[in-house]
């Protein structure tokens, strides 16, 4: 039984250095649960295979309206075009009944923590108090769900629940950059990264604040139902079809100073007008009248990307727009017009950045571009695409 207990503790992220000492009886109860679940695992997996994934939002004593809205919009909104092959959605509150929301409206939640018992995916849409311990009943419910194989995703401050349960120990996670310092001090066994949109560790997933929660939810849809479904959902949200989890949460200087807009704006416009060129960074710095290091730093501060990465995104923008609207152009011609040079090169970058092929993208997106390019002048056109 000691071997089984060790396996269980590794599964739940519970170790000798865990923040709380728990009674032996509690461990024994969990071990018995582990044995029971292990015996029925194959049967449960077979029965779930033919059913829609069950998503349950874990609601605290206060509902954070924006984060909950993200989860509902992605997983709960009826999508008749998908038929029955989509998520089921529900909520489970720490204390069922009428609770307040962050906007001041009363919200009634019918079910309690028992709703988590049959969830395939639990979403924690924020947590109102990041400085106080999470209630024991919540921690135990989350651990049990993790133990039986449910995925658990936190949006923004909801990460404190996963951290309190020990499910993030000895690994990386993220949350809103405003909270990271305080939360990191509470949970020293977790490595918090303030520079990413989300972290996917398989069974546990964490996102940064605000719109990064949408990115994580779209990422989950992509895993569960594929690229085309994820793209359709993203399009309905007026979102890019895919933003990498490693993309930075914020730009240190989103609004350029006037003199920088003039100098770097000219460089940006030249790059955009000739997307097929290599644009060595030394030449770009010379054109801007800056030293190489200063130019690289200023360019990334203003756009959020190094020059090479920004250029690749612009090529993708143009290719997406042409694939959607320029039906008279073949794929080879679009690859040339957008600066990729060849179809294999364009295909490679589409798969790397958007997790789909140009042909599939054209088939899915026929109405409007997820990368809208609005007319603008100077460095204002270089503003980083940010939801």
């Amino acid at each position: 039984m000691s071997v089984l207990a060790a396996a269980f503790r590794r599964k739940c992220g519970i170790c000798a250095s865990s923040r709380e000492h728990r009674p032996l009886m509690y461990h024994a109860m969990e071990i018995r649960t582990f044995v029971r679940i292990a015996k029925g695992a194959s049967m449960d997996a077979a029965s779930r295979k033919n059913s829609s994934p069950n998503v349950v939002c874990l609601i605290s004593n206060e509902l954070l309206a924006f984060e909950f809205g993200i989860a509902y919009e992605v997983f709960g909104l009826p999508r008749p075009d998908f038929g029955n092959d989509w998520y089921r959605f529900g909520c489970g509150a720490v204390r069922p009944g009428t609770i307040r929301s962050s906007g001041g409206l009363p919200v009634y939640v019918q079910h309690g923590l028992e709703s988590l018992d049959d969830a395939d995916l639990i979403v924690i849409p924020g947590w109102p108090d990041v400085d106080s311990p999470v209630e024991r009943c919540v921690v135990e419910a989350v651990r049990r769900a993790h133990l039986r194989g449910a995925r658990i995703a936190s949006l923004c401050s909801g990460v404190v629940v996963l951290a309190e349960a020990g499910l993030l120990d000895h690994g990386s996670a993220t949350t809103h950059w405003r909270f990271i310092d305080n939360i990191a001090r509470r949970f020293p066994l977790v490595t918090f990264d303030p520079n990413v949109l989300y972290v996917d560790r398989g069974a546990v997933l964490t996102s940064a604040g605000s719109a990064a929660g949408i990115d994580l939810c779209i990422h989950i849809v992509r895993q569960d139902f594929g690229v085309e479904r994820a793209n359709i959902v993203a399009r309905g949200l007026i979102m890019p079809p895919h933003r990498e989890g490693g993309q930075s949460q914020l730009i240190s200087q989103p609004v350029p100073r006037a003199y920088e807009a003039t100098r770097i704006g000219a460089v940006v416009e030249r790059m955009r007008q000739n997307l097929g060129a290599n644009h060595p960074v030394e030449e770009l710095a010379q054109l801007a009248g800056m030293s190489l290091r200063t130019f690289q730093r200023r360019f990334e501060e203003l756009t959020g990307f190094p020059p090479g990465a920004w250029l690749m995104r612009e090529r993708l923008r143009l290719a997406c727009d042409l694939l959607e609207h320029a039906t008279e152009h073949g794929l080879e011609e679009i690859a040339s017009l957008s600066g990729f040079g060849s179809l294999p090169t364009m295909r490679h970058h589409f798969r790397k950045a958007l997790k789909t092929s140009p042909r599939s993208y054209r088939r899915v997106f026929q109405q409007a571009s997820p990368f809208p390019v609005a007319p603008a002048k100077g460095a204002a056109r270089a503003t980083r695409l940010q939801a």
Side-chain angles (χ1 to χ4, degrees), residues 68-369:
F68 175 78
I70 290 173
Y72 175 77
E73 182 75 20
V74 174
F75 302 115
L77 191 69
R79 300 185 185 275
D81 47 329
F82 293 165
N84 294 326
D85 188 21
W86 191 241
Y87 298 100
R88 293 171 290 147
F89 184 84
C91 297
V94 178
R95 292 176 180 82
T98 301
I99 61 176
R100 62 174 182 165
S101 71
S102 54
L105 296 174
V107 177
Y108 181 77
V109 182
Q110 181 177 1
H111 302 290
L113 294 177
E114 72 280 356
S115 298
L116 276 59
D117 293 341
D118 61 350
D120 300 298
L121 169 65
I122 297 170
V123 179
I124 308 173
W127 207 252
D129 188 355
V130 299
D131 297 316
S132 301
V134 179
E135 292 182 65
R136 182 65 174 268
C137 61
V138 177
V139 171
E140 292 178 357
V142 167
R143 283 176 175 159
R144 285 196 302 270
H146 176 71
L147 169 63
R148 63 176 175 77
R151 287 175 299 167
I152 309 175
S154 68
L155 310 184
C156 195
S157 56
V159 71
V160 297
V161 179
L162 291 174
E164 190 82 39
L167 305 185
L168 300 176
D169 288 358
H170 310 295
S172 59
T174 193
T175 185
H176 196 295
W177 57 270
R178 291 185 184 276
F179 301 142
I180 277 188
D181 288 344
N182 288 342
I183 295 177
R185 280 193 291 269
R186 286 187 60 197
F187 305 103
L189 297 181
V190 184
T191 302
F192 285 96
D193 188 345
N195 299 312
V196 297
L197 294 177
Y198 57 84
V199 175
D200 180 354
R201 289 171 51 182
V204 290
L205 308 92
T206 57
S207 84
S210 300
I214 304 178
D215 291 295
L216 176 58
C217 291
I218 295 295
H219 169 73
I220 293 171
V221 173
R222 186 180 300 105
Q223 289 183 323
D224 292 348
F225 290 97
V227 171
E228 293 193 6
R229 288 262 181 111
N231 286 351
I232 292 171
V233 175
R235 178 181 166 192
L237 292 166
I238 321 300
M239 285 284 293
H242 181 59
R243 293 201 298 176
E244 294 287 348
Q247 185 170 318
S248 178
Q249 289 188 29
L250 70 160
I251 309 168
S252 58
Q253 185 183 322
V255 181
R257 292 191 288 267
Y259 76 94
E260 289 178 341
T262 301
R263 299 167 75 183
I264 295 183
V267 175
V268 166
E269 207 55 41
R270 177 167 174 168
M271 294 169 69
R272 182 177 284 113
Q273 291 171 5
N274 191 5
L275 294 177
N278 290 328
H279 297 295
V281 69
E282 294 83 3
E283 292 183 8
L284 298 176
Q286 186 176 9
L287 180 63
M290 299 178 180
S291 69
L292 179 60
R293 291 183 63 184
T294 299
F295 173 76
Q296 290 176 311
R297 184 171 66 253
R298 296 298 188 208
F299 191 99
E300 189 163 353
E301 285 176 350
L302 290 168
T303 68
F305 297 92
W310 181 87
L311 181 62
M312 186 56 62
R313 282 178 64 85
E314 287 301 305
R315 290 171 177 165
L316 285 168
R317 283 178 187 269
L318 180 55
C320 287
D321 193 60
L322 290 172
L323 286 168
E324 295 163 23
H325 305 296
T327 55
E328 70 277 12
H329 294 311
L331 296 182
E332 288 281 2
E333 190 176 2
I334 288 176
S336 177
L337 290 171
S338 57
F340 287 107
S342 69
L343 179 55
T345 301
M346 182 171 74
R347 186 181 295 117
H348 166 78
H349 287 288
F350 259 71
R351 291 198 179 280
K352 182 178 180 181
L354 305 179
K355 301 298 186 290
T356 188
S357 68
R359 190 179 304 278
S360 296
Y361 186 95
R362 169 172 263 179
R363 186 168 61 249
V364 173
F365 285 86
Q366 293 293 324
Q367 301 298 323
S369 173

